[in-house]
Amino acid sequence: MTDADQARDRIREDAVEAALDKLDLDTKTRLLAGQDMWSLPALPEIGLHSLVMSDGPVGVRGVRWSADDPSVALPSPTALAAAWDPELARRAGRLLAQEARRKGVHVLLAPTVNLHRSPLGGRHFECYSEDPCLTGAVGSGYVAGVQDGGVGTTVKHFVGNDAETDRFTVDSVIAPRPLRELYLAPFEAIVTGARPWGVMTAYNRVNGTTMTEHRHLVNEVLRGEWGFDGANVSDWMAARSTTGDILGGMDVAMPGPATVYGPALAEAVRAGEVPEAAVDAAVRNVLRLAARAGALEGAPAAVAFLPAPVDGQALARELAVRGFVLVRNEDAALPLEVSAGRTVALIGAAARDARVLGGGSATVFPERVVSPLDGLTAALPDGALTYAVGADPSDEPVPADRGFRLRAVCRDASGAVLGEGSLPTGQVQWIGDDLPAGVSYETLASIEVRGTFVPREGGEHTFGTRGLGAFELAVGGRTLWSGVQPMGDEADPFEAIFGAPSERARITLAAGEPVEVSLTFRVPDMAGLPVRAIMFSLLHLGPRRDADALIDEAVAAARAADTAVVVVATTERVESEGFDRTDLALPGRQDDLVRAVAAANPRTVVVVNAGSPVEMPWREDVAAVLLGWFPGQEGGAALADVLLGAEEPGGRLPTTWPARFADAPVTEVVPVDGRLEYREGLFIGYRAYERNGIVPAFPFGHGLGYTDWAYESLEATADTVRVRVTNTGTRPGREVVQVYLAPLDDAVERPASWLAAFAGVQAGPGESVEAEIALPARAFEIWDEEARAWRRIGGTYEVRASRSHGDTRLTTTLDLA
C-alpha cells in the first residue's frame, strides 16, 4: 500500500469508530439484520446509506427479478476458470463492478469458490475447478477486479458446500488435512492475497457445527490466522441462532425483515447471553464494508479513481473465446475451411435455443443472446449453412420464452388492478419486496401472466405450470385447465416452492399466427412466512415430432454438407442450484444423434454446452470436440470466431472429464443420516485418478489450440521455475505452462502429484518465450494435524513442466532441505 492508501485507511477507520460510538444497542442490532431481501437499513444520523447487495457471479441482476434493466451476462465461472488467466478474471471483475455501480449495488454476492469434489455437483457451473491452486488464483483475480471498481465481494460459500443435496442441513464431515489443504485453501489464497471485503458463510455444517455459528473456522481461522477484516454475511436464510451466530462470528443475517438479529439480538445482550462487544465487532465490520464501498459519509471510499469503462459486449465475447476448450481435433478438423462452396450443417436444438448461463440465483437477464445458429449465420456466406433440430435435450415444458410477449397483472380480491410488471419469460420469481409498483402482499389476491404467443412452428403445442397453488390456464380465450398443484417430495426448500414442471393442456396452433395466453395464479396467505415470495411459471413446449424422424433429417443434412457441427447440452433440470445430478449422461436422444451424424459425415464437430462434465461415449468417433460450458450472452458469436479460425480456443480443462460415470472417483453427494463424509480425504479430481490408475477421457489442464508448442528448457529452485517454450506452428497462440510437483520417496501420505503454479505465455510462429513462475512455499507444505500447523516437507521433488496433468513435457529434480 502507498502512503496515501494508508492515510485513507486511517481516516476510514476513524470514521467507522466515530459512527459506531453514536449508535445505541437497538440501532446497532438493527443494522446487522437485512431490512429486506437485498439491503441493510440506512442510518442518516451517522451518514450511512443503505448497503445494497446483489447476485451473482456472471452478471449483476440488481434487486429485482426483471429484464427491465438488462444485465451483461458473462460466461459461467467454469468457463472463466478454463481460461487459466487471473488477469482475465480481474478484467471480468472490473466489468461487473461497472455493472454494479450502474445498478446502485455496493456488494456482489460472488465469487463461488467451492471445489468440484464430485462431477455430480449440480451447481458446479458456478464454481471454478477441482483444484485449489487454480480456484484460488482465478478467484483472487475476480475479487481484485470487482474491488478495483469500488464494489465489495462476498467469497462463498464458506466452507464445505460442495454439493446441493440437503444443503441447508447437511453435515460435511471433513478431516483436518483435506479441510485445510483442499477446501479452505482457495478461501485462504483469496483472503490473504486479494483482501476481499466480504465472505458468505454457508448453509451446511462442518464437522457438526453450523457454518454461521462456526467460531473456530470463522473467528480463529478466517479472522485470526488469515487476518480477514471484512463483513461475514450469511447465505440467504442460513442464520438460525441469535447467540450462536453472533458468537460464531456472523455479522449480517440475510434476508430481512424477519431475522435472528435485530430485536432478538438486542434482547440477548440485555439478558446477558451476548456481550455487547460482540455486537460492536460485527457493526464495525459492516461499517467498514460500507465505508470501503463509499456508503458512509465522511469516510473515503477504498477506490479513489475508478478503472476505465469496459465494453461489456466485447469482453463477454472475449471471455467466451478464451474459455472454449478444444479437447479433440483429429486431422485438423478445426478451424473449419470456409472457402467458396463449402457448407456446414448445424444440428441440435441447443444450437437454436442456447442455454448461456446456469440456473438458480446466478440468473441474470441479458439484453441480447447470440445463439450458435445466430453466430454462424452471421459469420458464414449465404447458402453455406443449413440447420436441423436433430434432437431436443428436453421433452418437458419450460418457462415460456421465444415467441411470447408477457406481462404480470396484479389484482386485489375485488379484481381491481393494483399494478403490472414486465416478465422476461413465463417465470414469476418475486422475493421479498420485489413486487411491481403499487402492489403489496397485504392486498395482492391474484396474478395473471398474460400476453401473446407467436408460434414459430405449427402443430400441437403443450402448455403447463410450475409452482404450488391454484391456477387457471387459458389459450386463445378458452380455459384449458384449472386446478391446484400440491407440494411434492422435493427436499430443497427452493425446489419445493417452485414445484415440478407439470403438463396441463395441448392445443393445435398455426405457425406465425398470434394467440392470446393467460395463466392466473391465486396468491395464498403468506403472513406467517419468514420470507414472503411468489414463484410460479407459465410453461410451454413446441410440437413434439417423432425422435427418429428428427435424427433422420439431421443425418440427411450432415451427409449433404462438408462439415457437420452438432451442439449438445444439459438443461436446468440436469444442472442447477438446489439439487445434484444422478449421472453424467446427456439428456434426451442427443447421444444417438451424435452417433448417427458421425456415421454419416466423418468431419463431425461436437460442441458441448454444459457447466461440468458429461459422458461422451461417441468422443472417438467424431473429428473434433469443443467444450463451451455456458458461454454467456455472446457465446454464439464467440463460437463462430473459434470454429472459423478467427480466434484460437484458449481454454484448458479446469476439472477432469471421466470417460464414463463409473470411472469418477468421488460420487457420494447424498448424505446418510444427515452426514456427508468426505472419505476420499485428499484424493479428489486428478489426484484420485492418478492414485487409482484410472485414465480419464480428458485430463485436468488439457486443451488444444491451433498451433504447436515445443518445451525446450526447465530450471527450478525452491521458489521459482523457468520454462522456455517455442511456438512451432504457423499462427500466433497462447500456451498455459503448468507446473506440477511430484515427491520422490515421500515420507508422508500425499497425492502422487499436484498443481503448484501456472502461467500463460503468448508467441507468434517461430518465436520463443520464457515463463518465469513463482513457486509458493505452501506447495511444499502439509497440514500437520497433531501440531495444528503447516509443516514444510523436505526431500527430493520432481518438478514437471506440463501441458496438462496427463502430458508432461520436461522434468527436473529439486532437493528441498
Side-chain angles (χ1 to χ4, degrees), residues 54 83 179 591:
S54 175
L179 181 60
D591 286 334

Side-chain angles (χ1 to χ4, degrees), residues 317 346 348-356 367-382 385-387 402 456 567 632-641 643-644:
R317 185 168 180 167
L346 181 63
R352 180 184 63 185
D353 301 328
R355 184 182 183 193
V356 299
E367 187 172 23
R368 71 178 216 153
V369 170
V370 183
S371 69
L373 180 56
D374 296 332
L376 282 170
T377 298
L380 288 170
D382 290 345
L385 183 69
T386 60
Y387 172 72
R402 292 165 181 84
R456 62 186 177 192
V567 182
Q633 67 176 56
E634 304 300 317
L639 177 62
D641 290 340
L643 290 179
L644 303 180

Side-chain angles (χ1 to χ4, degrees), residues 42-266:
L43 299 177
E45 63 269 30
I46 60 170
L48 178 66
H49 301 275
S50 176
L51 202 64
V52 179
M53 310 175 207
S54 175
D55 287 316
V58 302
V60 185
R61 188 168 61 246
V63 299
R64 303 200 62 188
W65 192 268
S66 169
D68 289 344
D69 183 12
S71 308
V72 173
L74 300 180
S76 65
T78 41
L80 187 61
W84 286 61
D85 189 343
E87 280 304 310
L88 186 66
R90 188 166 192 162
R91 290 173 55 205
R94 288 177 174 175
L95 170 63
L96 294 174
Q98 176 179 295
E99 285 280 280
R101 295 194 308 271
R102 180 175 66 82
K103 296 194 173 200
V105 169
H106 302 98
V107 180
L108 192 60
L109 302 174
T112 306
V113 299
N114 301 109
L115 295 185
H116 295 184
R117 171 179 170 263
S118 165
L120 294 181
R123 200 176 179 181
H124 280 348
F125 59 85
E126 197 177 317
C127 309
Y128 290 129
S129 169
E130 69 187 28
D131 182 77
C133 171
L134 178 59
T135 297
V138 175
S140 293
Y142 181 103
V143 167
V146 174
Q147 295 182 175
D148 284 347
V151 174
T153 56
T154 56
V155 188
K156 62 185 187 182
H157 305 89
F158 189 73
V159 62
N161 181 190
D162 309 294
E164 292 292 282
T165 304
D166 295 346
R167 59 179 173 156
F168 282 79
T169 57
V170 62
D171 183 9
S172 299
V173 182
I174 314 172
R177 271 195 69 192
L179 181 60
R180 288 282 189 160
E181 295 180 25
L182 294 179
Y183 302 100
L184 286 171
F187 288 96
E188 180 182 9
I190 295 168
V191 168
T192 58
R195 312 303 304 178
W197 302 349
V199 162
M200 182 188 292
T201 40
Y203 295 120
N204 55 281
R205 291 176 286 163
V206 170
N207 297 330
T209 303
T210 302
M211 275 310 306
T212 53
E213 305 170 36
H214 214 303
R215 299 191 199 189
H216 169 60
L217 290 180
V218 174
N219 288 338
E220 296 175 17
V221 177
L222 175 64
R223 294 197 184 278
E225 292 182 27
W226 302 347
F228 175 67
D229 65 354
N232 176 9
V233 181
S234 75
D235 203 343
W236 265 227
M237 294 183 288
R240 298 158 204 163
S241 167
T242 299
T243 57
D245 288 340
I246 194 69
L247 296 177
M250 194 194 76
D251 299 322
V252 176
M254 292 297 291
T259 79
V260 297
Y261 282 175
L265 180 54

Side-chain angles (χ1 to χ4, degrees), residues 300-613:
V303 176
F305 303 100
L306 294 175
V310 181
D311 184 330
Q313 185 172 308
L315 183 57
R317 185 168 180 167
E318 180 185 353
L319 290 170
V321 166
R322 293 285 306 278
F324 277 113
V325 181
L326 182 61
V327 294
R328 178 178 172 84
N329 193 22
E330 294 300 295
D331 300 322
L334 292 180
L336 299 178
E337 294 184 32
V338 291
S339 55
R342 298 192 68 83
T343 57
V344 175
L346 181 63
I347 296 166
R352 180 184 63 185
D353 301 328
R355 184 182 183 193
V356 299
L357 45 81
S361 61
T363 301
V364 296
F365 304 104
E367 187 172 23
R368 71 178 216 153
V369 170
V370 183
S371 69
L373 180 56
D374 296 332
L376 282 170
T377 298
L380 288 170
D382 290 345
L385 183 69
T386 60
Y387 172 72
V389 172
D392 197 313
S394 175
D395 59 0
E396 288 184 331
V398 297
D401 189 358
R402 292 165 181 84
F404 287 85
R405 295 178 63 88
L406 302 170
R407 294 189 64 77
V409 180
C410 302
R411 295 185 174 90
D412 64 15
S414 72
V417 175
L418 299 171
E420 296 188 14
S422 65
L423 293 176
T425 69
Q427 179 172 316
V428 175
Q429 182 166 308
W430 297 337
I431 306 175
D433 294 332
D434 182 12
L435 296 171
V439 180
S440 69
Y441 288 102
E442 289 72 23
T443 56
L444 182 60
S446 69
I447 302 167
E448 182 188 10
V449 174
R450 73 179 186 188
T452 59
F453 171 49
V454 181
R456 62 186 177 192
E457 300 173 87
E460 188 177 60
H461 289 253
T462 300
F463 289 85
T465 63
R466 187 179 185 191
L468 307 180
F471 295 91
E472 183 174 292
L473 171 68
V475 178
R478 181 161 62 94
T479 299
L480 300 182
W481 177 80
S482 63
V484 176
Q485 184 158 331
M487 175 78 76
D489 58 359
E490 295 84 3
D492 189 277
F494 285 106
E495 192 181 8
I497 292 172
F498 272 116
S502 297
E503 178 180 326
R504 300 303 185 189
R506 298 184 184 186
I507 185 170
T508 300
L509 301 174
E513 294 188 10
V515 62
E516 293 183 355
V517 295
S518 169
L519 177 67
T520 301
F521 172 69
R522 305 296 173 187
V523 178
D525 180 13
M526 290 179 280
L529 298 179
V531 176
R532 292 183 291 188
I534 297 172
M535 300 181 183
F536 70 94
S537 297
L538 167 65
L539 306 180
H540 170 260
L541 180 67
R544 292 177 170 91
R545 293 186 55 200
D546 179 76
D548 290 330
L550 287 174
I551 291 176
D552 289 343
E553 287 181 6
V555 167
R559 188 174 289 121
D562 293 296
T563 302
V565 176
V566 184
V567 182
V568 297
T570 59
T571 69
E572 285 200 14
R573 297 282 285 170
V574 174
E575 289 184 273
S576 193
E577 180 178 350
F579 58 88
D580 291 309
R581 300 157 74 184
T582 57
D583 58 43
L584 302 183
L586 284 168
R589 295 280 304 277
Q590 294 181 102
D591 286 334
D592 293 338
L593 171 66
V594 174
R595 290 189 185 97
V597 170
N601 190 327
R603 295 186 66 82
T604 293
V605 175
V606 181
V607 179
V608 181
N609 189 19
S612 49

Side-chain angles (χ1 to χ4, degrees), residues 619 656-660 663 686 689-690 694-700:
R619 65 189 180 279
T656 307
W657 278 51
R660 52 185 187 147
D663 291 342
Y686 64 86
Y689 282 91
E690 188 170 26
I694 299 173
V695 178
F698 302 108
F700 174 78

